[in-house]
Amino acid sequence: MTIQSSVTFKLLDDTTIPWIAWGNGTGDAKVKALDCGRAALESGIRHIDTAQIYHTEKETGESVKQSSLKREDIYVTSKLSSHDDGSSRSLDEVVPAIQESVDKLGSVPDLFLVHNPYVAKPGELKSLWKILEDLKDQGQLKSIGVSNFRPQDLEIILEGAKHKPVVNQLEYHPYTLAHLQPILDIQAKHGIVTESYGALTPLLRHPTGGPLKPVLERISARISKVHGKTIDPTVVLLLWTRAMGVVAVTASGNIERIKKMGEIATLPDLLTEEEIKEISEVGKKVHFRHYTEHMENDFALPDLPNGA
Ligand SMILES: NC(=O)c1ccc[n+]([C@@H]2O[C@H](COP(=O)([O-])OP(=O)(O)OC[C@H]3O[C@@H](n4cnc5c(N)ncnc54)[C@H](OP(=O)(O)O)[C@@H]3O)[C@@H](O)[C@H]2O)c1
């Protein structure tokens, strides 16, 4: 039996978000953010993910302007990042930094995230979130959310929050499922949507692909036959992400791949419930992440092999 999923997900604040985004924070997508952003929009992608620290907000705004689409038909995400040297933002820097993002983008982003909990100085995370809540109330920001937040970070801002974060953008794929479970439990309780970056890690960054690789290859072969078009194993991972109710933030600086990404955006549900479950179950037997950073600090790792 196949499941029914939509090309957009509903957020806590009653807005909707396209299930797949093209991001310009990594690889060639970052270097060629304007041309690739334009190509992504022409190919059918309706969601661009940028951040202050990527230095691609201007190119993001320009690609939106140069496209034949109306601004309201495109979903733009940006993020309040730390300084380029990694140092945190003082509270009085937050409003001007957000204004700078809006100026570079040429419009208010549909979603604005706190890039990670260390953007705030120690002990100031709650106050920083309050600034975002106030800007939302004043109509200067639209949806607000977070990224790379562990359970303890979520708990700080959720306590007495006027506006809960609508999303938490994380490295999310089958090999992080076991580790992320405490975060996913909090998010399920509060209705916070997960956004996945690094979704292709099991296939592209794990040294061997681990036990998931043959499973994804088998599913890819089955659905390519049924669909009459090649659906490669990376696409299977993205479709699994959607089936899990998680927004996929992927990237490419390769025009041919960007075109395929546009086609993926409107693919029907091709995975069966059994296949979705199998990908999750096999993934949960391994722990492997590409972007370690602080996600392994003060957040217990599961006792699992890396599956090499
Ligand atoms: N919030 C955060 O802290 C955070 C952290 C990391 C990333 N992000 C966001 O998420 C976006 C995506 O991150 P990601 O790069 O980790 O995502 P990903 O989807 O795991 O990987 C995308 C990369 O995979 C390559 N690729 C895609 N399909 C491929 C295929 N079939 N075969 C071989 N290579 C393939 C692309 O290279 P080509 O260019 O050659 O196609 C691209 O460099 C970033 O750009 C950024 O917007 C956010």
Side-chain angles (χ1 to χ4, degrees):
M1 198 175 85
T2 53
I3 49 102
Q4 288 297 313
S5 59
S6 154
V7 291
T8 57
F9 294 134
K10 186 117 187 249
L11 299 178
L12 263 177
D13 61 2
D14 278 340
T15 58
T16 54
I17 185 168
W19 82 270
I20 187 166
W22 174 84
N24 54 32
T26 43
D28 281 352
K30 186 175 178 181
V31 183
K32 301 185 273 180
L34 173 56
D35 289 347
C36 292
R38 230 178 13 219
L41 293 171
E42 275 163 21
S43 306
I45 294 285
R46 293 292 174 264
H47 180 177
I48 300 186
D49 182 90
T50 180
Q52 292 174 344
I53 207 158
Y54 305 163
H55 297 288
T56 51
E57 287 176 306
K58 209 162 182 295
E59 289 76 6
T60 300
E62 198 52 40
S63 58
V64 169
K65 239 180 266 165
Q66 289 183 15
S67 85
S68 56
L69 298 160
K70 291 193 208 128
R71 171 64 185 89
E72 59 266 34
D73 293 331
I74 303 170
Y75 194 94
V76 175
T77 298
S78 193
K79 311 180 193 87
L80 179 73
S81 309
S82 301
H83 293 285
D84 284 352
D85 65 2
S87 59
S88 305
R89 297 266 182 195
S90 58
L91 293 175
D92 59 6
E93 287 175 327
V94 172
V95 173
I98 293 175
Q99 188 55 50
E100 203 180 320
S101 279
V102 173
D103 292 344
K104 285 183 180 162
L105 290 165
S107 65
V108 176
D110 300 274
L111 175 62
F112 196 76
L113 310 180
V114 180
H115 207 146
N116 65 62
Y118 297 103
V119 170
K121 289 182 188 284
E124 293 187 350
L125 190 55
K126 184 84 180 161
S127 305
L128 187 144
W129 182 251
K130 173 95 175 50
I131 296 174
L132 264 67
E133 290 181 319
D134 290 346
L135 290 173
K136 179 175 167 64
D137 282 339
Q138 293 156 16
Q140 294 183 53
L141 281 178
K142 296 178 180 173
S143 297
I144 53 175
V146 298
S147 177
N148 303 302
F149 270 41
R150 299 160 298 180
Q152 58 268 46
D153 309 314
L154 284 172
E155 272 152 20
I156 289 173
I157 60 162
L158 281 170
E159 201 199 332
K162 180 159 188 209
H163 300 294
K164 293 178 184 180
V166 293
V167 303
N168 188 11
Q169 189 180 112
L170 300 161
E171 179 176 351
Y172 174 102
H173 49 72
Y175 290 160
T176 56
L177 272 187
H179 187 216
L180 294 180
Q181 197 56 54
I183 298 178
L184 302 178
D185 289 344
I186 296 172
Q187 294 181 181
K189 184 171 149 205
H190 291 274
I192 300 166
V193 167
T194 304
E195 286 195 299
S196 156
Y197 67 78
L200 305 181
T201 291
L203 288 168
L204 301 184
R205 303 179 184 102
H206 186 282
T208 64
L212 208 51
K213 193 173 175 211
V215 172
L216 296 170
E217 285 172 348
R218 170 170 41 80
I219 296 171
S220 150
R222 183 196 70 76
I223 59 180
S224 297
K225 210 166 155 195
V226 173
H227 187 57
K229 243 180 161 183
T230 304
I231 300 292
D232 74 44
T234 60
V235 181
V236 174
L237 265 180
L238 295 173
L239 290 176
W240 170 84
T241 305
R242 180 175 75 182
M244 298 298 280
V246 168
V247 175
V249 184
T250 183
S252 181
N254 171 314
I255 297 293
E256 285 315 306
R257 269 210 276 275
I258 291 172
K259 282 188 189 152
K260 282 196 191 138
M261 215 178 264
E263 290 169 20
I264 299 166
T266 52
L267 272 182
D269 294 312
L270 296 167
L271 303 180
T272 65
E273 275 183 21
E274 293 73 24
E275 287 167 342
I276 294 161
K277 205 165 155 217
E278 184 182 10
I279 294 169
S280 305
E281 291 309 316
V282 173
K284 277 182 198 165
K285 294 188 178 125
V286 165
H287 172 69
F288 180 84
R289 66 165 56 248
H290 175 66
Y291 300 92
T292 47
E293 297 162 13
H294 69 282
M295 289 303 285
E296 297 187 347
N297 299 344
D298 303 320
F299 180 30
L301 287 174
D303 184 17
L304 290 172
N306 76 9

